[in-house]
Amino acid sequence: MIVVHHLNNSRSQRVLWLLEELGVPYEVKRYERNLETMLAPPSLRAVHPLGKSPVITDGDLTLAESGAIIEYLTGRYGGGRLVPAAGTPEHLRYLYWMHYAEGSVMPPLLLKLVFDRVETAPMPFFVRPIAKQIAGRAKSSFIEPNIKLHLDYMEAELGKSTWFAGNEFSAADIQMSFPLEAAAARAGLSPTLPRLTAFLTLVHARPAYERALAKGGPYELLR
Ligand SMILES: N[C@@H](CCC(=O)N[C@@H](CS)C(=O)NCC(=O)O)C(=O)O
């Protein structure tokens, strides 16, 4: 039986959604973030040394990293569903977006989360102006321009097809949903990004997405 080690408000929601799309039975083992640090509990390190979510176990296998988990689950249980046929242009786009999500667009979104927190973290009053200045500089000179660059790029790419890999919904859309949900929470999706907004509306309307939310519990991304 597949067990999804699921951290609240996290990337593992994608794995629950994928399994609901595939109709594959699984169990959810829930872990709660520390309310102060927002980190995963130490018990997750007993499953995988990094203690990050998602992690799945399937028999003797323990596998971490969202993209690897998605590849494994579609390959083993998908029967060809949610992955464009090998050798097609859609398959190349599928590969691209599958890697882009965690490799390219998540880093600036994570930096934004960290530097936003630096600005509001408790600290001695005389340090605050300096911390705010450093965080503000990092955000205005690097983080925010990069987030805008990625958002505009994804918006333009979704002008080519309804979904990221083509006109068929694929597991790459599941992988890409997290950065877009994180961007909506952390940076907001402005009216100049109607395709990204429409993508999230389509995603949220999928019955499997709804079922996964019911299994995973409240899903409110960190901001
Ligand atoms: N690139 C990894 C990132 C894993 C990751 O950072 N997960 C976050 C949840 S969204 C986590 O476990 N955070 C809690 C912590 O770092 O303690 C993946 O896609 O699986």
Side-chain angles (χ1 to χ4, degrees):
M1 170 68 86
I2 299 165
V3 179
V4 182
H5 297 268
H6 173 65
L7 180 68
N8 62 314
N9 301 326
S10 85
R11 287 161 166 90
S12 49
Q13 190 62 43
R14 282 188 291 211
V15 177
L16 306 183
W17 176 25
L18 172 67
L19 287 162
E20 290 294 334
E21 290 282 353
L22 293 175
V24 175
Y26 62 97
E27 278 172 19
V28 182
K29 187 156 185 235
R30 290 201 196 182
Y31 300 78
E32 297 292 323
R33 289 181 186 271
N34 178 303
L35 285 178
E36 209 177 296
T37 63
M38 301 317 285
L39 294 176
S43 52
L44 202 48
R45 289 201 186 173
V47 186
H48 185 279
L50 293 180
K52 307 274 179 208
S53 181
V55 186
I56 61 159
T57 49
D58 188 11
D60 290 341
L61 172 79
T62 301
L63 189 62
E65 199 60 49
S66 317
I69 293 171
I70 292 175
E71 293 284 339
Y72 167 76
L73 292 174
T74 50
R76 171 107 203 247
Y77 298 102
R81 288 171 297 159
L82 301 186
V83 182
T88 60
E90 286 78 8
H91 190 258
L92 266 183
R93 287 176 70 188
Y94 170 87
L95 275 182
Y96 174 77
W97 293 111
M98 191 61 82
H99 289 267
Y100 168 92
E102 288 295 324
S104 284
V105 65
M106 277 314 295
L109 288 166
L110 178 64
L111 284 172
K112 172 142 172 61
L113 180 70
V114 171
F115 278 93
D116 280 349
R117 274 165 193 249
V118 167
E119 285 180 328
T120 54
M123 64 185 86
F125 74 92
F126 53 88
V127 178
R128 183 171 298 283
I130 301 164
K132 276 193 109 161
Q133 205 186 359
I134 293 171
R137 267 280 180 80
K139 281 167 50 177
S140 64
S141 66
F142 180 76
I143 299 167
E144 281 158 1
N146 264 291
I147 291 177
K148 180 173 174 3
L149 181 69
H150 281 284
L151 290 176
D152 289 345
Y153 170 61
M154 293 185 286
E155 174 73 17
E157 286 292 305
L158 277 184
K160 297 178 182 168
S161 54
T162 312
W163 299 103
F164 277 100
N167 284 323
E168 298 286 325
F169 174 75
S170 79
D173 299 301
I174 297 180
Q175 178 77 332
M176 284 296 293
S177 65
F178 186 81
L180 288 177
E181 285 174 330
R186 286 169 209 171
L189 293 184
S190 71
T192 57
L193 303 166
R195 294 183 193 118
L196 298 184
T197 308
F199 173 87
L200 283 182
T201 305
L202 280 178
V203 158
H204 295 157
R206 290 186 77 86
Y209 183 95
E210 287 283 332
R211 290 196 300 275
L213 280 186
K215 289 266 179 78
Y219 181 50
E220 199 182 316
L221 291 191
L222 306 183
R223 56 181 81 214

